[in-house]
Amino acid sequence: MVKIASPAANLDLRAPIFTTLSKGIGVDWVQRIILVLVDYILLSLAWHTTQTLCTPLDFPWKLNNLLLPIPIAHIGIMVARGLYNSNEEYCKYVSSIEALTLSHLLLLSIVFSYQSHHFIPWSTFFWAWLLSVLFSLAGRLCANFTTNKLRQQGTICNPIFIIGFPTDIEKATQLLVQENHYRIIGYLPIYALEKYGVDKIVDEITSSGAVEVFVCSWHKIEQRMFLYWRLRNHGITLNILPLSLEEIVEEKMGAFLSLKSGIPFFKLSPPLIAGLDFRIKRCFDFCLAVLIILVLSPLYLAIALLIKLDSPGSIFYQQTRVGLHGKHFNVWKFRTMVNNADKLQKELENFNEMNDGILFKIKNDPRLTKVGRVLRRYSLDELPQVFNVICGEMSLVGPRPLPLRDIEQLSETQLIRHEVLPGITGLWQTSGRSEITNFKDVLLLDIFYIENWSLWLDLQILLKTIVTVAQKTGAY
């Protein structure tokens, strides 16, 4: 384990100090496994009973074997329908009936195709379906009754923390107690986050043994993005609990609400192994960057030769950019402009097409060389930044690192984009690039990326980047 004094000061916002299993995952999976075993035993019993009392079916497999493929197929359909996803799903008796009906129809179609020339005892299928439904529902009723009894004794209740204003905490406590699913082990006033800092508060929550945190007045927390990622990296589930319709509308949560006993909330569960996804991202970045250099090395050499033949000056262009936590580093690019391009920029400031002036972008930039225009059009000038990725200064996907000139014009709240590693490409590049003329829109895309980051989102952006570059969308 690597010991780091202050995670916020050294690591990407999404980076854990160490990987850990999601809290409460043990109890959750034990319940799922028990329910699957109960379903398997009861469904096997239903088919054995049917085969004994009715006309046996001629299957391509042996039904007298204990490991029946039929109950496994039934359970597979139930898994696909999400009937084992959470502690509440097994109460959905109608969904269970639908899943069993579908699996029996699929089984019937298999039998019909296997022995369509023989007599098929339809009554056997009917009784098999009926007994499977009755046995399964009986098992779920018993599981539901047993679970409720255990929860009343506090045996399998999730220990939780509540964060909010005093009045909100009181309301949330009354609502959550009715759930009979949670054990409240601590309260935290919302102002404590600003007073003591997110890291200290999350450490306190973690040491208490809480597996979930309910937050009221989420929009009132200034460092909510930090709170979310700190909890996520510790494997703790974050539940946003709006206590009024106004909060639901303000947070735009309508499409993501879960309802439990009339309580609407937005559940943000960490992955099974918290922090592993970010480590995979860094490993993926490094391996893909090395592969790009090896495969495209002839292209690198060809571009270098063309730049040298086209105009005097160096092949590469280095510019100081601001990266993770405001640290300066040199970003590498193929040179696309004349040697004194930086000095000429001051004379061209009046032609800047970015409305707020934070970024500098103009079409038909007179400083571009002939080869430089082609490189810019296909974004080939960015290829040397793959070396920045190998050095750990950048990622393949992330907010673009900005020059010092642009950083000086940012407000303190806009510096949130520096809490993650900058990237070669990102949502800005795949959403129009230079066609977006307000930095506010760029910032919104960056924040959306940080808040919704996942390995799948990175992959989508990389694939879309290829299409965007091929179409030359917004490039100049």
Side-chain angles (χ1 to χ4, degrees), residues 144-189:
N144 188 28
F145 176 80
T146 303
T147 300
N148 286 333
K149 284 295 183 182
L150 291 174
R151 285 177 178 172
Q152 288 175 7
Q153 299 172 4
T155 305
I156 56 174
C157 290
N158 287 347
I160 66 170
F161 242 81
I162 302 178
I163 300 176
F165 294 108
T167 54
D168 293 337
I169 291 177
E170 184 178 351
K171 292 179 183 178
T173 300
Q174 294 175 355
L175 291 172
L176 293 172
V177 165
Q178 299 175 12
E179 282 293 294
N180 193 29
H181 180 57
Y182 303 106
R183 177 167 53 88
I184 303 173
I185 61 174
Y187 306 92
L188 197 66

Side-chain angles (χ1 to χ4, degrees), residues 155-333:
T155 305
I156 56 174
C157 290
N158 287 347
I160 66 170
F161 242 81
I162 302 178
I163 300 176
F165 294 108
T167 54
D168 293 337
I169 291 177
E170 184 178 351
K171 292 179 183 178
T173 300
Q174 294 175 355
L175 291 172
L176 293 172
V177 165
Q178 299 175 12
E179 282 293 294
N180 193 29
H181 180 57
Y182 303 106
R183 177 167 53 88
I184 303 173
I185 61 174
Y187 306 92
L188 197 66
I190 207 167
Y191 57 79
L193 290 168
E194 304 297 329
K195 183 177 180 180
Y196 300 106
V198 171
D199 289 332
K200 187 173 182 179
I201 294 302
V202 172
D203 287 341
E204 181 182 341
I205 292 173
T206 304
S207 61
S208 72
V211 303
E212 294 190 47
V213 172
F214 281 82
V215 180
C216 311
S217 301
W218 173 250
H219 62 286
K220 297 292 186 180
I221 300 176
E222 293 184 4
Q223 296 183 315
R224 51 185 177 272
M225 194 183 299
F226 292 88
L227 177 63
Y228 162 65
W229 279 107
R230 296 291 184 268
L231 291 173
R232 187 180 192 270
N233 289 338
H234 281 82
I236 297 175
T237 299
L238 171 64
N239 300 285
I240 301 173
L241 181 62
L243 298 175
S244 65
L245 181 60
E246 289 76 9
E247 286 187 62
I248 296 176
V249 174
E250 185 167 354
E251 293 298 333
K252 300 178 181 178
M253 293 166 49
F256 305 99
L257 292 178
S258 298
L259 292 173
K260 295 182 180 180
S261 301
I263 307 174
F265 67 94
F266 187 19
K267 192 181 189 73
L268 298 167
S269 299
L272 180 62
I273 303 179
L276 181 62
D277 49 359
F278 184 79
R279 297 189 187 279
I280 293 175
K281 169 184 171 66
R282 294 304 303 145
C283 181
F284 175 78
D285 280 348
F286 181 84
C287 293
L288 185 57
V290 172
L291 181 63
I292 289 173
I293 292 174
L294 293 176
V295 173
L296 299 183
S297 54
L299 179 60
Y300 277 80
L301 294 174
I303 293 174
L305 180 61
L306 289 173
I307 292 174
K308 205 65 179 175
L309 294 175
D310 180 54
S311 62
S314 62
I315 295 173
F316 298 103
Y317 170 73
Q318 292 185 62
Q319 187 181 45
T320 301
R321 297 287 179 103
V322 179
L324 182 64
H325 302 307
K327 294 181 180 178
H328 295 183
F329 71 100
N330 290 326
V331 67
W332 288 78
K333 302 176 73 173

Side-chain angles (χ1 to χ4, degrees), residues 81 83 90-101 137:
R81 291 295 299 269
L83 294 175
Y90 58 76
C91 298
K92 295 185 177 180
Y93 304 111
V94 174
S95 297
S96 299
I97 296 174
E98 292 174 350
L100 288 171
T101 302
L137 292 183

Side-chain angles (χ1 to χ4, degrees), residues 411-465:
S411 64
E412 186 175 349
T413 56
Q414 293 174 325
L415 297 178
I416 185 67
R417 65 195 309 276
H418 294 152
E419 296 301 324
V420 300
L421 276 172
I424 296 178
T425 186
L427 285 179
W428 176 23
Q429 284 67 38
T430 60
S431 302
R433 291 190 281 186
S434 299
E435 294 178 359
I436 299 177
T437 58
N438 283 307
F439 182 75
K440 181 180 179 181
D441 296 330
V442 175
L443 182 65
L444 289 175
L445 290 172
D446 290 339
I447 291 177
F448 178 86
Y449 169 77
I450 297 172
E451 289 181 338
N452 298 275
W453 174 78
S454 66
L455 293 173
W456 173 237
L457 178 58
D458 271 6
L459 182 59
Q460 286 179 298
I461 292 174
L462 286 173
L463 294 175
K464 193 172 181 181
T465 297

Side-chain angles (χ1 to χ4, degrees), residues 334-436:
F334 281 121
R335 183 175 60 83
T336 59
M337 294 185 176
V338 295
N339 273 332
N340 59 341
D342 289 339
K343 297 180 180 179
L344 293 176
Q345 179 174 326
K346 296 179 180 180
E347 302 175 8
L348 299 172
E349 287 286 354
N350 292 333
F351 300 96
N352 189 1
E353 297 178 7
M354 295 298 288
N355 294 337
D356 46 25
I358 294 180
L359 301 177
F360 183 82
K361 294 284 183 180
I362 59 173
K363 291 182 180 179
N364 301 318
D365 195 321
R367 301 172 298 166
L368 290 173
T369 63
K370 293 180 181 179
V371 172
R373 291 186 187 278
V374 177
L375 296 179
R376 286 286 189 92
R377 181 62 63 182
Y378 293 97
S379 300
L380 295 175
D381 59 317
E382 311 284 356
L383 284 177
Q385 291 171 38
V386 175
F387 290 98
N388 290 111
V389 175
I390 292 177
C391 293
E393 298 168 325
M394 294 180 64
S395 174
L396 291 176
V397 181
R400 283 295 294 168
L402 299 179
L404 297 178
R405 168 207 174 272
D406 300 331
I407 295 298
E408 292 173 354
Q409 303 182 60
L410 298 184
S411 64
E412 186 175 349
T413 56
Q414 293 174 325
L415 297 178
I416 185 67
R417 65 195 309 276
H418 294 152
E419 296 301 324
V420 300
L421 276 172
I424 296 178
T425 186
L427 285 179
W428 176 23
Q429 284 67 38
T430 60
S431 302
R433 291 190 281 186
S434 299
E435 294 178 359
I436 299 177

